[in-house]
Amino acid sequence: EVQLVESGGGLVQPGGSLRLSCAASGFNFAFSSMTWVRQAPGKGFEWVSTISSGDLSTYYSDSVKGRFTISRDNARNTLYLQLNSIKPEDTAMYYCAKASSCDYRGNCPERGQGTQVTVSS
């Protein structure tokens, strides 16, 4: 059974930083491309970033490019998302997911329960 547990969210001021983590189990993490998506209040899912399983290529949405960094530690079965220069519009629930389960709308059935990021001064 795929299990994904996110952590690291919280309340942060604009311009601040956070590091989100996602502990994975129940599948071969090292051979799985992984994705972060987010959902702001009252809105649909938004794809944020993906990291491949092989060459560790990384991909970012235009809204976070240059501010967020995705990474992974296969030895620890853990996915990360470093958020820098955070903006109020980054306020959302952040989910990690198996990239293979995601559709074009960012809906990923194989995702965790999420961690809340709230940006406010």
Side-chain angles (χ1 to χ4, degrees):
E1 178 188 2
V2 173
Q3 289 195 335
L4 298 163
V5 180
E6 301 92 338
S7 61
L11 177 64
V12 61
Q13 292 186 341
S17 297
L18 279 176
R19 189 194 197 199
L20 308 183
S21 299
C22 172
S25 61
F27 65 102
N28 197 328
F29 178 79
F31 285 89
S32 300
S33 293
M34 297 296 296
T35 284
W36 287 97
V37 297
R38 65 187 181 184
Q39 187 173 32
K43 296 188 177 181
F45 289 104
E46 177 190 9
W47 171 73
V48 174
S49 182
T50 296
I51 185 167
S52 69
S53 58
D55 61 3
L56 304 185
S57 295
T58 57
Y59 308 89
Y60 299 93
S61 68
D62 288 343
S63 61
V64 308
K65 194 175 298 181
R67 300 188 298 119
F68 292 7
T69 303
I70 190 171
S71 62
R72 63 192 299 162
D73 184 340
N74 289 339
R76 299 177 187 270
N77 280 7
T78 303
L79 178 72
Y80 302 101
L81 187 68
Q82 177 70 40
L83 288 64
N84 295 330
S85 302
I86 294 175
K87 302 176 180 180
E89 52 263 43
D90 294 322
T91 294
M93 185 73 79
Y94 284 73
Y95 301 89
C96 69
K98 288 186 68 179
S100 60
S101 77
C102 300
D103 65 18
Y104 71 97
R105 295 171 296 182
N107 186 16
C108 310
E110 292 186 310
R111 67 176 185 268
Q113 293 300 305
T115 187
Q116 178 69 39
V117 173
T118 301
V119 185
S120 175
S121 55

